[in-house]
Amino acid sequence: MTRMDTVVHPPSGSVRGTTTGDVSRFLGVPYAASPAVTGWLEPPGPVEPWAGVRDALEYGATVPKNPYPWPSSELLEDAVHTGDNCLNLNVWTPDVTGSAPVFVWIHGGAFRNGTGSAQWYDGTAFARDGVVCVTINYRLGVYGFVDVDDTPANVGLRDQLAALRWVRDNIAAFGGNPDRVTVGGESAGAMSVAALLSSPLAEGLFAGAILQSGAGHHALTRECAQNIGTELARRLDVPASRAAVAGVPEADLLAAQADLLRDVQGDVARWGEAARNLMAFEPVIGDDVLPALPIESIRAGAGGDVRVLIGTNADEMRFFMVPSGAVDLVTTPALSAAVDAYGFADVPAVLDVLDAYPEGSPGDRLAAVVGDWFFWIPAIRLAEAREQAAPTYVYEFAWPSTARDGRLGACHALEIPFVFDTLDVEDGMRITGTGAPQSIAKDMHAAWVSFVTDGDPGWSAYQAEERTVRVFDTEPSTVVDPRPQRRAVWDGVR
């Protein structure tokens, strides 16, 4: 297919992309100044202007980060492109002269990994189907979420806000309609979307929100975040200040981050919600970006005018427990102890929880319990919190991967190549295995396109009296209140 250059002239500066068939793409476009100029731990500054036409032909630099930790590294690749100008985004568009709806994607990776340039986030299929697709980079780990003094926190969320403001001001030059923006994300990206949905600084920047395997329950109190920041500074042997931490060489800072992450996980008594969340660096409650825990603000009406599509995968935690072998090591006593110690203090009794999960080995049951607590129940709580808001639609992805002898089930992240219709890329095949049904990708991608375009994915909105859920599987279905016993055991929790 013939490929030709295409030049557009947004206010931020002219850029040259490429057009193949009916889709034009522009890669590595800066949406903010290089952190090397404004400060690696400082809020993003305005994009630096350039003269002439800037090439947007290749993916831009990625943010500083460690490789994916094991066992996530067994299933995911994490692209790395060197350079300092890492606050950049990518655009796929069906027509640079049009006014199409816009889908802005925030990648996942536990707030410490990932990039908008991953293969399976290629936006070609969205552009093919009439949607402008934008994927972004934002600062991660220490660089995005360390909190050590009274200076602004949540730099990673501020990057996301800067990207959305860039979209508002520039996307028309790429053929997008700034009044029809939907923001979406998966895992930490979905948690970011919940944070933005709740943030007063994001008002008016998007009309729709898609949350895949992440909701509004996971953020750190300022006390917890500063406890972690102080410990990081102690290990680096520098004062607990943003300036001092920023002065540490990148390799040393990332090494200390990795060591601290390992120590935080599992020590709930010392590290509180950071240990329960398994994330030491994540959004922090208590500033102008995130005044309260997102679910609390959403319950109070924040983001009430935004349409929402939210859901989870049927076997989320098997992504983490199968490659590591942990699923086979859990004993019945260890299962009870884990449920008791993992932070379910407000559950009336451990056995009340376990009785609702009778099937499978102890490891299978633990994966189901923790997956529901961490992913499914927060998604349900967010949908319930929006009873008086704009429509909220709920889905579940249920097709089991064929990778790892089929033991992954419908695990975390598995739905991504179906949403983007990128089943044929290596990133997707590592987790889907062979034989992933194109029919599911067709249905799921079409539902996302419909939601971004019209605000309706094609099934009834979620209401407490009906609890309508669309299930994506080999045979798709629309069901009411799947697994009611498992849902009910968490009543009154979180």
Side-chain angles (χ1 to χ4, degrees):
M1 189 173 293
T2 303
R3 171 175 161 174
M4 62 182 183
D5 288 351
T6 300
V7 177
V8 296
H9 306 283
S12 65
S14 299
V15 292
R16 177 184 293 105
T18 58
T19 298
T20 304
D22 295 329
V23 175
S24 300
R25 69 174 190 172
F26 302 83
L27 307 180
V29 181
Y31 67 80
S34 167
V37 175
T38 57
W40 281 102
L41 299 184
E42 298 299 326
V47 64
E48 300 168 345
W50 58 84
V53 179
R54 182 189 185 107
D55 281 342
L57 308 176
E58 299 179 349
Y59 287 115
T62 48
V63 301
K65 57 186 175 178
N66 289 311
Y68 266 114
W70 183 83
S72 298
S73 59
E74 295 288 302
L75 298 173
L76 301 177
E77 289 283 354
D78 202 357
V80 174
H81 306 286
T82 58
D84 292 333
N85 208 347
C86 57
L87 299 183
N88 58 69
L89 50 76
N90 313 295
V91 181
W92 290 261
T93 178
D95 181 0
V96 296
T97 66
S99 185
V102 181
F103 182 37
V104 179
W105 178 256
I106 302 175
H107 68 78
F111 294 106
R112 61 180 182 264
N113 290 102
T115 171
S117 61
Q119 291 178 353
W120 57 3
Y121 302 147
D122 186 296
T124 298
F126 278 103
R128 175 198 69 200
D129 294 328
V131 170
V132 174
C133 182
V134 180
T135 67
I136 71 171
N137 291 339
Y138 59 98
R139 278 172 285 184
L140 302 168
V142 170
Y143 290 97
F145 297 97
V146 71
D147 191 7
V148 286
D149 51 30
D150 295 330
T151 55
N154 291 314
V155 168
L157 293 180
R158 295 177 194 275
D159 290 345
Q160 296 169 12
L161 287 163
L164 287 168
R165 288 191 290 267
W166 183 96
V167 167
R168 178 195 62 195
D169 298 338
N170 292 273
I171 204 63
F174 296 83
N177 186 335
D179 296 322
R180 299 176 67 193
V181 174
T182 295
V183 62
E186 184 267 346
S187 194
M191 296 172 195
S192 296
V193 172
L196 296 170
L197 189 67
S198 75
S199 176
L201 299 188
E203 290 182 7
L205 291 177
F206 50 89
I210 299 177
L211 300 88
Q212 299 171 209
S213 301
H217 289 69
H218 297 99
L220 302 181
T221 63
R222 202 76 192 264
E223 180 182 7
C224 179
Q226 294 206 338
N227 185 24
I228 290 169
T230 299
E231 175 62 14
L232 176 73
R234 186 192 69 79
R235 295 183 182 204
L236 293 168
D237 196 25
V238 298
S241 72
R242 189 174 299 272
V245 173
V248 175
E250 178 183 313
D252 295 339
L253 192 53
L254 290 175
Q257 170 185 299
D259 288 342
L260 185 53
L261 285 168
R262 283 190 291 270
D263 292 346
V264 165
Q265 293 181 11
D267 192 348
V268 175
R270 180 175 181 187
W271 302 109
E273 62 265 30
R276 287 193 294 271
N277 296 351
L278 303 178
M279 296 179 289
F281 299 99
E282 56 184 305
V284 180
I285 301 164
D287 67 359
D288 55 338
V289 178
L290 205 63
L293 188 68
I295 188 62
E296 295 174 358
S297 295
I298 292 167
R299 283 183 178 132
D305 58 342
V306 176
R307 289 176 175 257
V308 168
L309 171 60
I310 187 169
T312 55
N313 296 354
D315 305 297
E316 296 275 4
M317 285 303 295
R318 297 187 74 84
F319 173 92
F320 306 97
M321 294 182 65
V322 169
S324 69
V327 73
D328 299 318
L329 300 178
V330 180
T331 62
T332 297
L335 169 61
S336 298
V339 173
D340 194 26
Y342 201 76
F344 308 131
D346 42 6
V347 177
V350 173
L351 291 180
D352 289 345
V353 176
L354 295 181
D355 285 348
Y357 298 80
E359 298 179 0
S361 70
D364 294 333
R365 296 171 71 195
L366 181 62
V369 169
V370 178
D372 284 1
W373 174 78
F374 197 89
F375 294 106
W376 184 45
I377 295 303
I380 295 301
R381 294 288 183 262
L382 191 145
E384 292 169 344
R386 290 176 47 84
E387 286 278 322
Q388 306 303 315
T392 301
Y393 302 90
V394 176
Y395 76 90
E396 179 176 288
F397 183 83
W399 179 78
S401 168
T402 62
R404 300 297 176 115
D405 297 322
R407 300 192 69 206
L408 289 172
C411 69
H412 190 64
L414 180 60
E415 88 289 356
I416 294 172
F418 292 86
V419 166
F420 279 83
D421 196 7
T422 51
L423 290 177
D424 58 344
V425 304
E426 184 180 356
D427 278 5
M429 290 186 287
R430 285 166 63 92
I431 192 170
T432 65
T434 59
Q438 181 61 37
S439 61
I440 301 177
K442 180 181 178 181
D443 290 346
M444 201 169 194
H445 175 73
W448 266 235
V449 168
S450 179
F451 181 81
V452 172
T453 303
D454 301 318
D456 184 347
W459 62 89
S460 299
Y462 191 90
Q463 299 289 336
E465 64 272 16
E466 294 183 355
R467 300 185 182 276
T468 302
V469 177
R470 181 65 170 173
V471 178
F472 291 97
D473 203 342
T474 307
E475 295 295 331
S477 61
T478 302
V479 302
V480 175
D481 198 11
R483 300 181 299 281
Q485 182 186 9
R486 278 170 58 170
R487 176 187 55 77
V489 78
W490 299 101
D491 284 351
V493 178
R494 299 174 70 83

